[in-house]
Amino acid sequence: MPGDLRHPWPAASWETLGFWEGCGRGELVLQRCRDCGAVQHPPRGVCGQCLGAGISHFVASGRGRVHTFTVTWQNQIEPFRSACPYVLAWVEIDEGPRILTNIVGCDPGRVRIGMPVEVDFARPEGQGEEDLAVPRFRPR
Amino acid sequence: MSLSGKVAIVGVHEHETRRAPDKGEKQIMAECARAALADCGLSKSDVDGLFAASMSLGIMGVVEVAEYLDLEPRYLDGTNIGGSSFVAHVSHAAAAIEAGLCEVALILYGSTAASKAMAIGTGMGGGSRDPGRAFVAPFGLTTVGSYALVAKLHMERYGTRPEELAEIAVATRSHAALNPHALLRDPITVEDVLASRIISDPLHLLDCCIITDGGGAVVLTSTERARDLARPPVRVLGCGEAVRHQGSGRPDLLDIAARQSGEQALGMAGVSHREIDFCTIYDSFTITVLLTLEALGFCKPGEGGAFVSGGRIALGGELPVNPDGGGLSSNHPGMRGIFLVIEAVRQLRGECGPRQVEGAEVGLVHGTGGSLGLLHSGATLVLGRD
Ligand SMILES: [Zn+2]
């Protein structure tokens, strides 16, 4: 089981810290533009659609479906090397955006495109003062 | 006023090395420059436009290359959009020459990726201090993995089979067998590809390009001046560039940059698909070729698997692709775009011996840079005999 998949500490900036801190609280936080209504991910300091500065944040459902995936059998870099085979995926979350992530909590051979999944947070490795987490997804 | 046909590629050189632990990147570039200038009969003092990119050239990269070559050109371009960079350099050079900003453009690439044991395909998924990479790095995305995500989606949507992807590796290897400089020359079968180990499902080891050292150089000038030089000019008939990325979070992973750049290049050239005699297409992975052929319009989306089967893209087939053996079998020092240009030029000059595409008059070049499943650039050229 790839439940022992470990994650390097994500490098956060002022533009993205809100996302990672949200994960630390167990919330998948997305951005919505106050001007045009676009929902975007990854987070940024402006709206990618209209370049407006009025960015608001909301807690998404954390539910979605596997858009596509691959079972990775070779990665020469730790901690992924010892986690092979692990599942890398694009998950389309119910609020719209797709997020690059891992599928955990099931045998890699059982993962299918279209499979319903929900978010599952894990504390990353490495040093950092903040209470951050990394969003993976598991079957629901 | 169109750029089409105004500028020509007059000199090319592909470094013969596949492994050069004793050489530096700029040294490889310089050796290629010397040979490409000799190819067309121009000299270093004729060069007044310099273009360069590599895996390690940084912020002052092309300026450092100028110093290494002791050149003081009046036009510089260090565009680096990944492996497609050199294909884009050709169109930038054509525009600069046509605009009178330079007369003789030299494009250079050098790499010692293999000697430095760079894990290009499966080693770049580790931690990073770059916040922009933070949405990739924690999840172990490899280069192979990013293309595998696209291959999986194509299979799901269209029923494309691993056997069809394998056909691309088999055809490409059959070409490499005819290229004395290719790294891998032993014939392979579809069964061999399917029996090779999975790197990132559904891509096998033999669906992936090799890693070598190498380099190349390309020289361009106006078509008018080209006609007085040593080799038959190969004219730049059309060009285009495009990018695809995550945008705000909803990438259509199967809508790749080649659709847009190809449409522009073919439109500028005024050439139909039936007039294209062969293609050189960036083959980082077999899926890259399949998706590119679809996006360029040689077949409909979803029909790529059938299109590449039955020897259609092998020499002697309807549309030979990568007659030099490509990145899958000949060489891949990390950024392969320059070899796509060099092989296309040599085919159009008719100097390719046993791997020559008979009667080649028009060729299409398409480079992909970056990762199809994440963000990438595309650059297309249509090249033709004068
Ligand atoms: Zn907006």
Side-chain angles (χ1 to χ4, degrees), chain A residues 113-129:
Chain A
I113 287 177
M115 190 167 87
V117 290
E118 64 188 0
V119 72
D120 170 288
F121 297 101
R123 188 174 168 82
E125 293 193 324
Q127 70 281 53
E129 308 244 321

Side-chain angles (χ1 to χ4, degrees), chain A residues 29-58 95 97, chain B residues 248 250:
Chain A
V29 174
L30 296 182
Q31 294 183 325
R32 183 182 285 118
C33 175
R34 288 200 194 95
D35 298 326
C36 76
V39 175
Q40 68 182 7
H41 183 81
R44 60 203 79 162
V46 298
C47 170
Q49 292 280 312
C50 72
L51 301 184
I55 298 293
S56 64
H57 293 79
F58 69 99
E95 288 79 3
Chain B
S248 299
R250 263 185 252 200

Side-chain angles (χ1 to χ4, degrees), chain A residues 1-6 70-88 102 108, chain B residues 122 139-140 142 198-200:
Chain A
M1 293 285 282
D4 61 344
L5 180 59
R6 295 169 294 137
T70 177
V71 183
T72 306
W73 289 85
Q74 181 175 318
N75 188 328
Q76 301 183 49
I77 305 291
E78 291 293 2
F80 302 106
R81 178 201 189 84
S82 46
C84 290
Y86 62 91
V87 180
L88 184 85
N102 300 115
Chain B
T122 58
F139 307 105
T142 62
I198 296 270
I199 303 296
S200 201

